[in-house]
Amino acid sequence: MGLFLLDYGAGNVQSLANSLKSLGHEFEWIKDAADFHKATTLVFPGVGAFESAIGGLHARGLFEPLRQYILSGKPYFGICIGMQVLFQSSAEGPSKGLGIIPCPIERFTDDDKAVPHMGWNVADPIASASPAADASEELDAAAYYYFVHSYCAKYNPEAHPAAMRWAHSITQYGHELFMSSARQGNVFATQFHPEKSGKAGLKLLDDWLRQPESAHTHAPPAPLVARFPAPAHRLTKRIVACMDVRANDQGDLVVTKGDQYDVREKAGPAVAAAGAVRNLGKPVALAARYFAEGADELCLLNITSFRHSPLQDQPMLAVVRAAAETIFVPLTIGGGIKDSVDPDGTPRPAVEVAAAYFRAGADKVSIGSDAVFAVERLRAAGYVRDGTSAVEQIASAYGNQAVVVSIDPRRVYVDDAATYTGPYTAELVHGAPDAADERERGRAWWYQCTVSGGREARELSVVELAQGVEMLGAGEILVNSIDRDGTGRGFDLDLVRLIKRSVKVPVVASSGAGTAAHFVDVFAQTDVEAALAAGIFHREEVGIEEVKSALKENGINVRA
Ligand code: 1PR
C-alpha cells in the first residue's frame, strides 16, 4: 500500500524518482495491473510522446486498470504526458486517450514561435471555488516552472466548457493560451515538470504528497473564466552551463575545456604539463554548483565517446546518475549517440544508448556526428525519411523534445563573394567593410559541418544540417562554433541568426561567451531561446547570477 509511480516503458521517469528520493518519499513502481489495487496514491510522469505512452499502456495491459484507478477516486498526479493521457485524443496520432477530460490535445501553432515550447514559464492559477480543497496544489504565481512539449490542451471555454472547468492554471505561449495544470475530484495534473522545476517544483510535489489522502479528493470543478492573451508571453531565456567530459591521461573523468576544440594544455610559463588534458574540475561537483547558482539547464558532453562504445562507458553513466540525483533542472547528455557494435559483436542501436542515458537520469540526449551522417543520407535519398536514423528513432520513442542536435560548424571564408560559384551562395554571410576582425572585413563565408569533435569537415552546410535534422524530428538545436569556442570573443551572432531563420525548433547559442554582456548581445540581437557557456563558468570568471542580473537590467526575461 502507498505511493506508486507508473512508467509506460519509454517515459524517461528517472528525474521524478530522483526528486522523490531527495524529498524523502518512498515509492514503488507499478509492475502489472494488480499493483493498482495496492496503490493509495499514483503519480504518472512522462516526457515522451502521447502515441508511445498510450501504446505502452495497452501493450502492458495497464490502460484500463489506470482508467479504473482514476475513476475509483484515489489520488492521481499526472505530469506532462501523464496529464495529456487524461484527454480524449491527441493531434499527435490516432490513439484514444483515457477520455476523462472531454477535449482533444492539439499542437501549438509555429507561425509566431518555436515549437516545442521548451523552458521556464509561469502558470497563472485560476481562483478555486473552494480554496481549502486546493491547499496541496497551490502554485506559486510568481514562480517559473519547466515546460517541454509541442502539444497542449488549448484554453478555449467557448468550444469546450466542460473540459475547461478542469483548468487549474493557464499559461501563454506566443499568442496561445493553454491549460498548464488541471484539477478536479481526485485528479491533479501539470503540463510542466515539477521534478525539473528547481525549488518551486519540488515544493509543489512535496506539498501534494504530504497532504492527507482525504485532501486529494473531491476538488470541485473550477469556475469558467475568460482569459485573453497578453501582448507577450513570459517564457524566459535560458542559461545553460555545459561540461565537456573526458578521461584524462590518468583515466579519471574530468571536466575539460578546449580552445577551438583543442583540450590539451599549451606550453607556457604557468603550465606544468604541456600536452596534458586540461582539468577544470569534477563533473558531479560542478553540476551541483551550477544548479545551486541558478543554471536553467545543464549539459554533459562525453567528448571522447565517438571512439568507444558508450554502453561500455560505465564511468560516464555513473557520472550522469550521480549528477541527476543532485540537480533538479533539465540535464542533456551527449557524445557517442549512434548505432554501434560492442567489442563482442553485439549490435547496439542508438535508441538503446539513449535509453541507457535516460535511465541514468538524462532528460534529453544530444547527437553530433551521427546527425550529420543522417542528413547526408537524407539528402541523397531526396529528402525522403526512412525512419532508421538515431534522431528519428529516439524522437519517435521519447518525443522530439528529448532529441537535441549539437552542430560543430566552422567558417569557410570566400575571398571574393562576387565570383563564388559553390553551392552555398544563398547562405553566404557578408562581413561588414569596417568589421573589427580583419578576416571578416570585406569577405564572405559559409558555415561547414564537421564530425568527430571538429576533426573532419563534411560537404554539408549548417543550414542543410539544421533543416535536415528538424525534418528528422530533432526538438532543439545546439549551435557551437569551432571558430569561437573558448575564445571569449562573444557568440557568433551571424551563425545564430542564420540557424534561427532556417528552423522552427528552439535554438541554443554556444561558444565564445567571455562576459555577461555577450549574453545580452545574443538575446538582444537574435531570437535565440537559450545561451550556453562553459569556460567562463568553470574558471569562475563570470557567474550565472551575474549573467542573469545583466539580462534583467536589459529587460530580458530570466528565471531568478
Ligand atoms: O559526435 O555525437 O559523439 O558528440 C560529440 C559531442 O562532443 C558534440 O556535441 C561536440 O560538440 C562535442 N565535442 C567533441 N569534441 C569536443 C572538443 O572540445 N574537443 N566539445 C567537443 C565541443 C563545444 C561546447 C563548448 C562550447 C562553449 N563542444 O561543448 O562547451 O563551445 O564553450 P565556451 O563557453 O568555453 O566558449 P558525437
Side-chain angles (χ1 to χ4, degrees):
M1 292 301 206
L3 171 60
F4 275 74
L5 307 192
L6 174 57
D7 174 11
Y8 65 81
N12 189 5
V13 293
Q14 192 54 40
S15 296
L16 179 71
N18 288 341
S19 305
L20 297 186
K21 275 190 214 149
S22 83
L23 292 166
H25 295 285
E26 295 196 353
F27 56 86
E28 292 179 66
W29 294 97
I30 296 270
K31 288 184 281 301
D32 54 41
D35 285 336
F36 285 102
H37 299 294
K38 297 186 210 153
T40 49
T41 302
L42 180 65
V43 184
F44 183 6
V47 187
F50 182 89
E51 279 301 301
S52 63
I54 297 291
L57 289 174
H58 280 299
R60 300 176 64 198
L62 300 179
F63 183 89
E64 193 49 33
L66 171 62
R67 223 172 82 81
Q68 291 309 322
Y69 171 91
I70 295 172
L71 294 176
S72 75
K74 290 197 275 184
Y76 174 87
F77 192 155
I79 297 173
C80 190
I81 289 293
M83 170 167 165
Q84 295 190 0
V85 296
L86 295 168
F87 289 76
Q88 278 175 329
S89 59
S90 170
E92 207 174 335
S95 297
K96 291 272 164 265
L98 293 166
I100 288 167
I101 305 182
C103 75
I105 294 289
E106 297 170 74
R107 193 174 194 276
F108 283 116
T109 58
D110 60 13
D111 46 359
D112 63 340
K113 57 186 174 292
V115 175
H117 173 223
M118 191 182 283
W120 300 77
N121 207 334
V122 291
D124 185 13
I126 288 187
S128 167
S130 163
D134 248 357
S136 63
E137 293 93 21
E138 225 162 80
L139 295 173
D140 180 347
Y144 287 93
Y145 297 97
Y146 187 77
F147 292 82
V148 54
H149 58 128
S150 302
Y151 298 82
C152 65
K154 295 192 183 174
Y155 187 69
N156 187 345
E158 277 179 20
H160 303 293
M164 295 308 127
R165 297 201 69 193
W166 282 79
H168 171 265
S169 68
I170 294 171
T171 293
Q172 179 174 342
Y173 184 40
H175 292 290
E176 293 182 287
L177 297 175
F178 67 93
M179 213 188 278
S180 40
S181 55
R183 177 76 173 104
Q184 221 176 92
N186 52 314
V187 174
F188 181 53
T190 59
Q191 180 57 68
F192 57 85
H193 289 270
E195 78 282 17
K196 288 277 121 192
S197 297
K199 284 190 192 125
L202 292 183
K203 181 174 182 315
L204 182 69
L205 268 176
D206 199 36
D207 285 353
W208 190 85
L209 288 166
R210 288 189 195 284
Q211 284 285 312
E213 276 160 34
S214 58
H216 290 309
T217 57
H218 312 306
L224 265 190
V225 296
R227 289 285 166 95
F228 303 98
H233 63 219
R234 294 184 57 200
L235 179 72
T236 68
K237 298 293 185 182
R238 285 174 278 148
I239 303 302
V240 185
C242 179
M243 287 153 281
D244 290 353
V245 178
R246 62 160 286 170
N248 63 12
D249 299 321
Q250 290 71 46
D252 299 325
L253 281 184
V254 297
V255 174
T256 189
K257 185 66 214 63
D259 293 329
Q260 302 185 303
Y261 286 35
D262 179 0
V263 299
R264 293 201 176 258
E265 298 282 13
K266 315 267 182 312
V271 175
V277 171
R278 207 172 276 150
N279 179 351
L280 292 169
K282 288 286 184 192
V284 179
L286 269 187
R289 191 184 106 202
Y290 295 141
F291 171 63
E293 289 175 359
D296 297 312
E297 285 193 33
L298 298 181
C299 189
L300 283 168
L301 295 178
N302 185 1
I303 68 167
T304 41
S305 61
F306 53 84
R307 289 187 223 150
H308 307 293
S309 163
L311 285 179
Q312 307 284 316
D313 199 352
Q314 294 304 325
M316 187 62 190
L317 285 170
V319 163
V320 176
R321 227 172 269 123
E325 279 171 10
T326 52
I327 63 152
F328 302 103
V329 293
L331 177 61
T332 300
I333 311 298
I337 304 198
K338 60 182 180 187
D339 294 341
S340 55
V341 179
D342 280 352
D344 68 1
T346 313
R348 297 287 185 190
V351 69
E352 208 179 299
V353 180
Y357 279 138
F358 288 136
R359 275 197 304 276
D363 300 288
K364 307 185 228 179
V365 292
S366 160
I367 304 179
S369 310
D370 193 71
V372 174
F373 300 132
V375 171
E376 288 176 350
R377 289 197 302 274
L378 183 71
R379 185 177 60 184
Y383 291 94
V384 178
R385 298 173 46 156
D386 65 10
T388 60
S389 69
V391 174
E392 287 161 293
Q393 298 212 334
I394 300 168
S396 107
Y398 291 92
N400 308 48
Q401 73 290 327
V403 184
V404 182
V405 166
S406 165
I407 309 187
D408 299 314
R410 174 179 277 133
R411 287 183 177 193
V412 178
Y413 286 95
V414 171
D415 281 329
D416 183 358
T419 56
Y420 171 75
T421 51
Y424 300 116
T425 312
E427 296 174 22
L428 283 183
V429 173
H430 297 269
D434 57 351
D437 184 336
E438 64 181 33
R439 279 167 304 183
E440 295 182 3
R441 220 171 295 145
R443 297 178 78 192
W445 62 92
W446 62 282
Y447 292 95
Q448 178 170 31
C449 293
T450 66
V451 293
S452 301
R455 286 156 194 242
E456 189 191 333
R458 306 291 297 186
E459 275 310 309
L460 191 75
S461 76
V462 280
V463 173
E464 287 176 301
L465 179 62
Q467 293 180 336
V469 296
E470 181 176 54
M471 192 178 166
L472 293 174
E476 187 172 50
I477 294 178
L478 167 58
V479 189
N480 303 297
S481 154
I482 298 178
D483 306 278
R484 293 296 170 97
D485 175 56
T487 63
R489 290 173 49 220
F491 298 98
D492 186 339
L493 302 182
D494 293 306
L495 171 62
V496 173
R497 275 191 214 103
L498 180 67
I499 303 280
K500 256 315 275 178
R501 65 167 187 265
S502 307
V503 294
K504 289 289 190 183
V505 294
V507 172
V508 184
S510 164
S511 304
T515 63
H518 289 149
F519 290 84
V520 177
D521 292 344
V522 79
F523 289 127
Q525 296 181 40
T526 79
D527 293 332
V528 76
E529 280 75 17
L532 172 152
I536 52 167
F537 294 154
H538 303 335
R539 294 187 299 267
E540 299 189 53
E541 291 164 2
V542 179
I544 292 168
E545 281 168 24
E546 187 184 339
V547 169
K548 289 196 171 180
S549 303
L551 292 171
K552 262 189 256 170
E553 275 165 27
N554 283 276
I556 295 162
N557 193 26
V558 287
R559 181 178 72 108

